[in-house]
Amino acid sequence: RVQKLLGIKVAPPSSGLFGSEARVELDRRKAEWAEKEKRLRASDLRESLRKELEQKIASEAIARRDIEDAQSRSEVQQSTVEQLDSAARGEARTNLLAALPPGRNHCNVPLALARERGCPLVTERPIDFTERRAERSAAEELQAQREIAAYLVNELQLKRAAATVAEAATADARRAYLKATTAFEEERGRLLEEEARLREGERLVTNAEVASRTATELAEALTRLGGEIEESYKRQELLREEGRDALGRFSATFDYVVRAIIGDEVEGRVETSGRNLSLVVDHHGERESAALETVKLLAFDLAAMTDSIQGRGHFPRFLIHDGPREADMAMGVYERLFLYARRLEECFSGEAGFQYILTTTTQPPEQFLHDPWLRLRLAGVPAEERLFRMNL
C-alpha cells in the first residue's frame, strides 16, 4: 500500500530500511507540497478581483441611477415642450407664458455658476437666460425648451451607453473572479488530496514499523517460549520418570510390607489411576475381601513410614492404628504388625526414628506385653484405669 501510494519501490516492512526509505520520500513529498501551497497562496488573486468586482458593481449601480435620473429629467422636459407648443398655437399663448413660473435650470445650478463652469446650455445658446420670460416671445421660449429636451435625450443615450459599458465591465470582472476562485479551489482541492495521501502514507509507514517491531518481538518471544516449552517437556518427562521411579520404589516397599504381614506367597503393588492410587494384592490373581482391604490400608501406611525412614517421601514417621483386630483380621496377620514394627526398630543403632502406636482390645504377642513396647493399659472400671484417670 505504501508503494502504491507513493509510486516508488521501498524495502519490505520486515527490513530495517523500510521506515528510513519511506520517510525520506515522504519528507521530500511534504516539502514539495509545502512549496506548492506557498505558490498557490502567493498567486491568489481572489481578494483583489473581488474588490474590483465590487467597484464595477458600484459603478454599474451609479450608471443605472444616472439613466433613471436622465430619463426622468428628459420626460419632464419633453412634457414642458409639448405644453409650450400647444399653448403657442392658441390665443392664450402670451398669458400662458406670463403665467409660467420663473425660469430655472433643469439641474438647479445658478446661471452664474453655469457660465463659470462652461455649461453648454449657457455658452452655446444665444438666448439670454437673465431676461424675464415674460419679455421673450413664445417662439423663442419654445425653441429654447426644445434644445434643452434634445440635449437631455442625447445625455440619456450617453448614460445608457455608459451603463452598457459598466454592465460589460461588471460581467468581465465577475467572470475573472469566478475563474480565479474556481482555479484556486481546484488547485487547493488537489493539494488537500495530496496532503491526505501523504498523511495516509505516514500512518501506514508508522503502522508497518510498529507491526514489524511487534512481529520481531513476538518471533523472539515464540523462540523463547518454544525453548521454555521444550525445557518444560523435558522437566515434565523427568518428573514423570522420577514419579514412576518413586512409585516403583514405593510399590516395591508396599510389596515388601504385604509379604511381611501376609506371607511370601502373595504379591502387592501400587498402581496409578488418574490422580488416585490403587492398592493391589495378588495370589494367583487379584484378591478382594473386607479383611484384605484392611490389610492393604495398614500395609500402605507402614510402607509410607518405611519409605520415609529410608529418606524418601514426606511421611512424618508418626503412625497410629486404632483397633485393627476388630476388622476381622486373622490373628497371625495381627501379630505380624507388631513383628514388622519391631524389625523396623532394630534397623536403628540407637533410638528409633519413628513412633508407631497401635491400640487394640486384643492381647498383643507375649514378647510385647512389657516395656518399652507396652506403654499403657486402659479399662472401663475402675476410674483410675481410664485414660484421664477419672470419671468425666
Side-chain angles (χ1 to χ4, degrees), residues 63-194:
R64 292 183 181 279
R65 186 185 61 198
D66 290 345
I67 290 175
E68 293 175 358
D69 185 53
Q71 186 172 359
S72 176
R73 286 187 279 113
S74 178
E75 290 175 354
V76 171
Q77 186 63 30
Q78 187 64 33
S79 177
T80 300
V81 170
E82 290 177 357
Q83 290 178 9
L84 286 174
D85 187 43
S86 176
R89 297 191 185 99
E91 295 178 354
R93 177 177 179 182
T94 303
N95 295 333
L96 176 61
L97 290 174
L100 287 175
R104 64 182 179 85
N105 296 321
H106 68 279
C107 56
N108 295 327
V109 176
L111 290 175
L113 181 59
R115 289 193 184 92
E116 181 182 347
R117 298 291 178 88
C119 177
L121 295 178
V122 177
T123 59
E124 296 178 4
R125 290 184 56 193
I127 302 174
D128 186 1
F129 283 91
T130 61
E131 294 179 349
R132 292 182 302 172
R133 181 169 299 182
E135 297 176 354
R136 291 187 302 205
S137 65
E140 290 175 337
E141 181 63 23
L142 179 59
Q143 180 62 29
Q145 294 299 328
R146 284 176 176 172
E147 290 178 1
I148 294 174
Y151 173 79
L152 291 177
V153 170
N154 182 62
E155 184 183 26
L156 177 60
Q157 293 175 350
L158 293 176
K159 296 295 184 182
R160 286 174 175 170
T164 302
V165 173
E167 290 176 359
T170 301
D172 292 340
R174 183 176 285 108
R175 282 193 295 270
Y177 176 72
L178 292 176
K179 181 178 179 182
T181 302
T182 302
F184 179 86
E185 294 298 334
E186 289 178 352
E187 182 62 22
R188 183 169 177 269
R190 286 191 291 270
L191 287 177
L192 290 177
E193 291 178 359
E194 184 176 353

Side-chain angles (χ1 to χ4, degrees), residues 22 55 107 217 225 388:
Q55 293 174 357
C107 56
E217 293 171 359
L225 291 174
F388 293 105

